[in-house]
């Protein structure tokens, strides 16, 4: 009898955080409660940031003074709590200061997509929110932790059934355009994707992403139409403010047009996120090792050459989504150094262009080549510029 070989594939279960976004429908009592918590979160953040700055100034002038930290700032705010603060959830203050500490840590890492110095939050911001780690899903509704002494407290109806199950972590609740939303992160067990034996590299560009299997358009026609409409609304709102001054924002037409502008911004963001989520999922499903460039997006946007295109192409969000999905499914993400000459290097002979031979966004004026052409002056090879960059990135595996 012929013996048959059987291959056993062991599937490893790993705990990961997956988030589901839902719409909230609070009653009139909970609307007031959510608004108060949003205001309290902003108050805690601003008070914590002011205390952090004061403690840092004191440490600068007196080295014996302790350096500010999330722990020391939190203790300072808790010690000086007013009576009205005890009517609100204590976890709002705790989590606000914890996020402030993370924001200061991210300030020293320019690779973060939202890199920047922590700033004071304004009550005029379009989005206001708070966090809690004591929320529960009870009978298909969201149940927040009830503060001490509160009578009117109810579960909040959500827009749809929660598909995920597991341990509910820190819930983010926020208000935007008069609507309430919640991000529900669950700790779930995820299956590690099977190994495919294939590798890929992604070359990011304004408007499209190139990889080994083709091109992904990040600015489709429907998205460009949305941006044209956004531009029109912005011009109309600016014109109303110039003509009517401070009275413009109080008119009904201004408020209606601003709501349309915010609606289109939300639609554009949803389209961009959908493209990036589907593309990153396709990468982790089909490839074991993925190479991308470690770009400093913030520094590139400061050049004003293609800052708007860079912002709309969502390089930072792409890297963020691909990073956590590679961790989820056991795939390897390789970051090429920001100075790696993927565009200037010939993938055939390894020659690197320099001086007047370099390719720019306009191509090469010396040799009269287009921006999407790569001509090697050492071996004579001719490539598509983006395909050549992808091949160079693949050489790093």
């Amino acid at each position: 009898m012929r013996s048959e070989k059987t291959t056993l594939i062991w599937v490893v279960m790993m705990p990961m955080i997956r988030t589901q976004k839902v719409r909230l429908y609070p009653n009139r009592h909970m609307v007031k409660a959510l608004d108060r918590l949003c205001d309290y979160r902003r108050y805690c953040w601003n008070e914590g940031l002011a205390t952090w700055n004061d403690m840092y100034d004191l440490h600068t002038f007196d080295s014996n003074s302790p350096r500010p930290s999330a722990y020391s700032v939190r203790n300072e705010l808790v010690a000086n709590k007013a009576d009205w603060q005890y009517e609100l959830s204590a976890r709002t203050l705790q989590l606000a200061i914890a996020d402030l500490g993370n924001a200061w840590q991210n300030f020293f890492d320019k690779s973060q997509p939202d890199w920047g110095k922590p700033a004071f939050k304004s009550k005029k911001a379009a989005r206001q929110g708070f966090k809690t780690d004591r929320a529960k899903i009870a009978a298909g509704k969201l149940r927040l932790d009830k503060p001490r002494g509160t009578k009117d407290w109810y579960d909040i109806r959500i827009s749809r059934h929660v598909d995920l199950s597991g341990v509910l972590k820190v819930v983010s609740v926020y208000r935007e355009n008069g609507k309430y939303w919640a991000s529900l992160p669950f700790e779930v067990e995820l299956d590690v994707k099977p190994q495919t034996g294939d590798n890929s590299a992604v070359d990011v560009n304004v408007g499209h992403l190139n990889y080994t299997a083709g091109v992904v358009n990040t600015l489709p026609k429907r998205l460009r139409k949305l941006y044209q409409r956004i531009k029109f609304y912005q011009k109309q709102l600016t014109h109303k403010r110039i003509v009517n001054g401070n009275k413009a924002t109080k008119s009904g037409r201004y408020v209606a047009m601003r709501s349309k502008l915010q609606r289109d911004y939300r639609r554009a963001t949803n389209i961009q996120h959908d493209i990036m989520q589907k593309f990153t999922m396709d990468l982790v499903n089909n490839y074991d090792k993925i190479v991308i460039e470690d770009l400093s997006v913030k520094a590139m946007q400061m050049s004003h050459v293609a800052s708007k295109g860079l912002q709309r192409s969502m390089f930072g969000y792409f890297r963020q989504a691909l990073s956590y999905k590679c961790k989820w499914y056991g795939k390897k993400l390789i970051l090429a150094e920001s100075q790696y000459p993927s565009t200037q290097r010939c993938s055939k002979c390894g020659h690197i262009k320099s001086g007047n031979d370099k390719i720019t966004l306009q191509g090469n004026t010396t040799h009269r080549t287009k921006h999407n052409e790569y001509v090697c002056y050492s071996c004579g090879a001719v490539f598509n510029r983006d395909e050549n960059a992808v091949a160079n990135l693949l050489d790093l595996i």
Side-chain angles (χ1 to χ4, degrees), residues 18-26 136-143 156-165 174 180-186 270 274:
R18 297 197 67 176
T19 305
Q20 183 170 346
K21 178 181 175 181
V22 296
R23 171 95 179 268
L24 301 180
Y25 296 94
K136 298 178 181 178
I137 300 296
K141 296 182 179 181
L142 179 64
R143 178 176 296 174
I156 303 175
R157 185 167 60 91
I158 59 180
S159 58
R160 57 195 175 96
H161 176 69
V162 178
D163 299 329
L164 301 176
S165 61
Y174 60 93
Y180 297 87
W181 306 83
S183 295
L184 308 177
F186 289 90
N270 291 338
D274 181 66

Side-chain angles (χ1 to χ4, degrees), residues 214-262:
V215 182
V216 174
N217 185 12
T218 57
L219 289 175
K221 185 177 180 180
R222 54 176 177 164
L223 191 56
R224 292 197 298 268
K225 286 185 176 180
L226 268 178
Y227 280 126
Q228 289 178 358
R229 200 158 60 198
I230 287 172
K231 185 178 180 180
F232 170 77
Y233 289 147
Q234 288 175 333
K235 285 185 176 181
Q236 292 295 316
L237 293 175
T238 303
H239 177 72
K240 290 180 181 295
R241 288 195 296 267
I242 293 175
V243 174
N244 301 321
N246 295 331
K247 296 181 180 180
T249 57
K250 299 179 181 179
S251 67
R253 291 185 178 181
Y254 184 93
V255 174
M257 186 165 291
R258 184 177 60 186
S259 298
K260 292 180 181 179
L261 175 64
Q262 293 170 345

Side-chain angles (χ1 to χ4, degrees), residues 29-281:
H29 296 288
M30 294 308 295
V31 165
K32 295 180 180 179
L34 295 180
D35 290 343
R36 289 192 67 190
L37 288 171
C38 291
D39 294 339
Y40 185 46
R41 158 83 180 195
R42 185 180 66 251
Y43 170 83
C44 294
W45 176 279
N46 291 340
E47 287 293 314
L49 183 56
T51 304
W52 195 296
N53 292 335
D54 293 341
M55 294 178 69
Y56 181 79
D57 293 339
L58 184 61
H59 173 75
T60 302
F61 291 107
D62 185 7
S63 58
N64 294 326
S65 300
R67 181 184 291 271
S69 63
Y71 178 77
S72 60
V73 171
R74 183 197 64 188
N75 290 344
E76 183 71 18
L77 294 184
V78 171
N80 298 322
K81 286 180 69 173
D83 293 339
W84 61 269
Q85 292 181 256
Y86 289 98
E87 300 175 0
L88 300 168
S89 174
R91 300 305 301 163
T92 303
L93 186 149
Q94 305 282 345
L95 295 173
I97 303 306
D99 289 344
L100 179 61
N102 294 332
W104 276 113
Q105 290 182 355
N106 294 338
F107 174 64
F108 298 100
D109 184 7
K110 292 186 178 181
S111 64
Q112 295 291 331
D114 54 350
W115 175 83
K117 185 178 180 180
F120 291 96
K121 297 187 180 297
S122 171
K123 64 180 180 181
K124 296 182 180 180
R127 175 181 290 194
Q128 303 285 345
F130 66 94
K131 292 183 178 181
T132 178
D133 55 358
R134 294 179 180 175
K136 298 178 181 178
I137 300 296
K141 296 182 179 181
L142 179 64
R143 178 176 296 174
L144 301 177
D145 49 320
K146 183 179 179 181
R148 183 178 63 183
T150 304
K151 295 182 179 179
D152 296 324
W153 199 261
Y154 305 92
D155 295 343
I156 303 175
R157 185 167 60 91
I158 59 180
S159 58
R160 57 195 175 96
H161 176 69
V162 178
D163 299 329
L164 301 176
S165 61
V167 181
L168 187 61
K169 296 297 184 179
V170 180
V171 176
S172 298
V173 180
Y174 60 93
R175 180 188 70 239
E176 189 174 18
N177 302 330
K179 300 178 179 62
Y180 297 87
W181 306 83
S183 295
L184 308 177
F186 289 90
E187 187 178 57
V188 298
E189 300 289 339
L190 293 180
D191 298 340
V192 174
K193 297 288 184 181
Q195 298 294 312
T196 62
D198 296 329
N199 303 321
S200 181
V202 182
D203 178 52
V204 293
N205 298 279
V206 175
H208 62 278
L209 301 175
N210 290 76
Y211 70 117
T212 51
V215 182
V216 174
N217 185 12
T218 57
L219 289 175
K221 185 177 180 180
R222 54 176 177 164
L223 191 56
R224 292 197 298 268
K225 286 185 176 180
L226 268 178
Y227 280 126
Q228 289 178 358
R229 200 158 60 198
I230 287 172
K231 185 178 180 180
F232 170 77
Y233 289 147
Q234 288 175 333
K235 285 185 176 181
Q236 292 295 316
L237 293 175
T238 303
H239 177 72
K240 290 180 181 295
R241 288 195 296 267
I242 293 175
V243 174
N244 301 321
N246 295 331
K247 296 181 180 180
T249 57
K250 299 179 181 179
S251 67
R253 291 185 178 181
Y254 184 93
V255 174
M257 186 165 291
R258 184 177 60 186
S259 298
K260 292 180 181 179
L261 175 64
Q262 293 170 345
R263 176 203 62 192
D264 285 349
Y265 265 124
R266 185 168 62 250
R267 287 179 177 176
T269 302
N270 291 338
I271 292 173
Q272 291 173 319
H273 286 186
D274 181 66
I275 293 173
M276 291 301 176
Q277 289 291 338
K278 289 179 178 178
F279 178 52
T280 51
M281 202 68 217

Side-chain angles (χ1 to χ4, degrees), residues 289-294 326 332-336 393 396-397:
K289 298 179 181 179
I290 306 164
V291 186
I292 63 173
E293 294 178 290
D294 186 14
C326 287
K332 185 176 181 181
L333 179 63
I334 302 173
L335 295 178
L393 292 172
L396 297 177
I397 299 178

